[in-house]
Amino acid sequence: MGDQTNPFLEPSPLPYLLPQFALIGPEHYREAITIGMREQREEVEAIAAGTEPASFSNTIVALEQSGELLRRVLPVFENASSANSDEAIDAIESEFAPLLSAHRDAIRLDPRLYARIDTLRAAADELDLDAASAYLLERYHREATLAGAALDEAERERLTALNEHISTLTTAFQQHLLADTNDLALHLTDEAELAGLDPGTKSAAREAASARGLDGWLLTLVLPTSQPALTNLESPEVRDRLLAASRARGCRGGEHDTRATLLELVRLRAERARLLGFPNHAAAVTADETAGSPEA
């Protein structure tokens, strides 16, 4: 199965199967995701190619049980990429975003699998399923249908290409936004400019500056446009600089400008929505949510 020192290749011995973070390196993510995708494709192929009539056990339960290694590694990797990323993690995320998108589509859009799920759903009243199993079957059918499993072959191929491109652009957008957010942190060298901030906030700003090898204080940016420090900073000039930095993210030119990426994402999402039978991306997203539509 690969390098047996990879901590993802076997269930964690820690309580609650917590990840062994002290043993995990970037190379372990790449290996485990690669192996995990291959293993799940083999498992799903066995389900789709099965000669026995579709049953809840050999189709829905089997699908639920597939991809054990991916279920072990992906949540840990996604946590690392969103909360503790570096160049190595960003490179892996960029590499695997389109591959994982294609992997998911190969499963969700497989007409053989959809035929088995559709057959089970049509006969749901005769399967004597408990409430949880009936709901699971309904979810599999609805998610596959909304994902495009009922489209013809040419439409499924276009949908797969769209999903891969959207996945790549989404990852690029997130990484550029994060990089620009980090670059635009407000560096202050005069303690008087921090007037109004509490000692804890000042201490955190001092540590943030020190971590980057800077003197003074560094007010890092959070995701919303309105920054928490704006409430307490007494200096109008500092507040103006902080808000300007927050609003400038992704739209000041340079390598981290996200505007072109965002426009292309909007165009591709609109095309995907139309392909799936929806008037726009919002309608496609809300179709499986509680509201059911943008209007609601």
Side-chain angles (χ1 to χ4, degrees):
M1 276 187 70
D3 181 3
Q4 293 302 310
T5 63
N6 188 324
F8 288 116
L9 298 187
E10 297 294 338
S12 170
L14 298 179
Y16 308 108
L17 300 177
L18 290 171
Q20 301 180 80
F21 286 108
L23 304 180
I24 297 172
E27 69 279 5
H28 297 136
Y29 292 120
R30 177 176 278 107
E31 180 188 36
I33 294 172
T34 300
I35 295 174
M37 287 194 296
R38 183 177 70 239
E39 288 182 349
Q40 188 173 33
R41 288 296 300 274
E42 292 171 353
E43 293 163 347
V44 171
E45 176 60 27
I47 298 168
T51 57
E52 294 291 324
S55 70
F56 186 79
S57 177
N58 70 19
T59 302
I60 304 302
V61 173
L63 284 170
E64 279 286 284
Q65 294 175 340
S66 71
E68 179 184 358
L69 179 53
L70 280 183
R71 289 197 302 275
R72 194 181 301 143
V73 63
L74 284 181
V76 184
F77 177 72
E78 289 163 358
N79 182 69
S81 65
S82 63
N84 191 34
S85 65
D86 55 25
E87 289 186 5
I89 295 296
D90 285 348
I92 295 171
E93 186 178 25
S94 296
E95 175 186 351
F96 279 94
L99 298 179
L100 284 167
S101 175
H103 172 77
R104 296 185 184 105
D105 279 348
I107 296 172
R108 291 185 303 183
L109 304 183
D110 189 320
R112 300 168 300 169
L113 277 180
Y114 187 62
R116 295 177 74 88
I117 295 170
D118 196 45
T119 297
L120 291 172
R121 198 240 187 184
D125 293 341
E126 305 167 15
L127 298 179
D128 193 27
L129 299 175
D130 59 35
S133 298
Y135 177 77
L136 183 62
L137 172 57
E138 181 63 28
R139 290 303 308 161
Y140 262 91
H141 186 270
R142 182 162 177 76
E143 289 176 5
T145 302
L146 290 174
L151 298 175
D152 63 34
E153 183 177 1
E155 291 171 329
R156 291 196 305 272
E157 289 181 358
R158 178 55 183 161
L159 179 60
T160 297
L162 284 170
N163 286 339
E164 288 186 41
H165 197 181
I166 288 170
S167 178
T168 298
L169 289 175
T170 300
T171 298
F173 175 85
Q174 293 169 341
Q175 291 180 353
H176 286 312
L177 179 61
L178 177 60
D180 219 27
T181 296
N182 290 335
D183 287 347
L184 283 164
L186 184 60
H187 182 212
L188 303 173
T189 56
D190 183 352
E191 187 170 6
E193 294 179 308
L194 281 75
L197 298 183
D198 61 75
T201 301
K202 289 182 180 180
S203 177
R206 173 76 83 176
E207 291 181 7
S210 178
R212 298 197 193 180
L214 300 173
D215 294 327
W217 299 264
L218 194 68
L219 297 180
T220 56
L221 303 181
V222 298
L223 186 57
T225 301
S226 182
Q227 301 298 310
L230 290 171
T231 303
N232 298 312
L233 283 167
E234 295 179 3
S235 169
E237 189 269 338
V238 175
R239 290 200 304 270
D240 184 64
R241 289 166 57 196
L242 182 60
L243 182 59
S246 182
R247 295 177 62 183
R249 286 175 289 184
C251 58
R252 57 191 180 121
E255 61 178 325
H256 299 313
D257 194 296
T258 60
R259 288 172 291 187
T261 302
L262 192 59
L263 287 173
E264 182 67 0
L265 272 173
V266 170
R267 185 188 70 77
L268 293 175
R269 284 175 170 180
E271 181 184 350
R272 180 174 64 181
R274 291 191 298 270
L275 185 60
L276 292 171
F278 295 99
N280 51 59
H281 178 67
V285 170
T286 54
D288 198 34
E289 301 296 336
T290 302
S293 70
E295 293 76 18

